[in-house]
Amino acid sequence: MRKAIGIPMVMLLASCAMDEPKPIVTGLEGMSMQEFSILLPDSSHYFSSAELSGNKPTVLFYFSPTCPYCRIQTRRIVEDVQELDDINFLFVTSNQFDVMKKYYRHFGLEGLDNVQVGLDTGYVVANYFKTTKVPSVALYDANRRLTSFYTGVVKTETMKKLLN
């Protein structure tokens, strides 16, 4: 009986993870990135979105460390990070600090120059996009204007299009 339930469940989860979601119209498209700060894994410093490297597109990744789809998204980004080195990545969570820190270490995010990971202590990102869904991915062009917003796993090829 367990096998009969387990196999369809695995197939369902795998198919959801592989299909890229359609962009969601937020009404914020074309607007500049809102300034906000995240508490960094060292627990004593904050990173402001205003500090992002200039003239580079940005992927804002709102995640939960316990979400399997967030883990898939993170794995894809890390695997393709060399091809995505001209993109700023902001990994933002509202989860518990210690869980976020373990996630940060587990995926080796501390060694990536174009990645910032932190805790959104004021729930700014979730409130701005009016979302509770993870993963949520906001794509910004080099002028820091929102081009598209997704909930679900986004292919890195879609992120690479920001470079063109």
Side-chain angles (χ1 to χ4, degrees), residues 78-90:
V78 170
E79 287 171 359
D80 290 346
V81 76
Q82 290 180 338
E83 296 174 41
L84 302 169
D85 66 343
D86 286 333
I87 297 176
N88 294 313
F89 285 91
L90 277 177

Side-chain angles (χ1 to χ4, degrees), residues 37-94:
S37 295
I38 54 176
L39 179 62
L40 296 175
D42 69 4
S43 75
S44 60
H45 294 94
Y46 281 84
F47 179 85
S48 170
S49 59
E51 297 175 59
L52 289 166
S53 296
N55 298 323
K56 290 171 74 172
T58 299
V59 172
L60 190 155
F61 175 42
Y62 184 65
F63 74 101
S64 169
T66 59
C67 166
Y69 301 108
C70 296
R71 290 175 169 272
I72 291 169
Q73 184 73 76
T74 301
R75 203 169 291 115
R76 287 182 178 179
I77 291 168
V78 170
E79 287 171 359
D80 290 346
V81 76
Q82 290 180 338
E83 296 174 41
L84 302 169
D85 66 343
D86 286 333
I87 297 176
N88 294 313
F89 285 91
L90 277 177
F91 282 62
V92 179
T93 186
S94 299

Side-chain angles (χ1 to χ4, degrees), residues 99-118:
V99 179
M100 179 267 301
K101 194 169 180 175
K102 286 178 187 173
Y103 189 91
Y104 171 76
R105 287 182 179 150
H106 175 78
F107 285 102
L109 299 172
E110 69 274 5
L112 305 176
D113 293 335
N114 60 331
V115 175
Q116 294 294 331
V117 181

Side-chain angles (χ1 to χ4, degrees), residues 10 32 34 37 51 53 78 88 100 119 145 157 160:
V10 168
S32 294
Q34 182 182 23
S37 295
E51 297 175 59
S53 296
V78 170
N88 294 313
M100 179 267 301
L119 186 67
R145 301 214 179 270
E157 289 80 20
K160 290 176 195 174

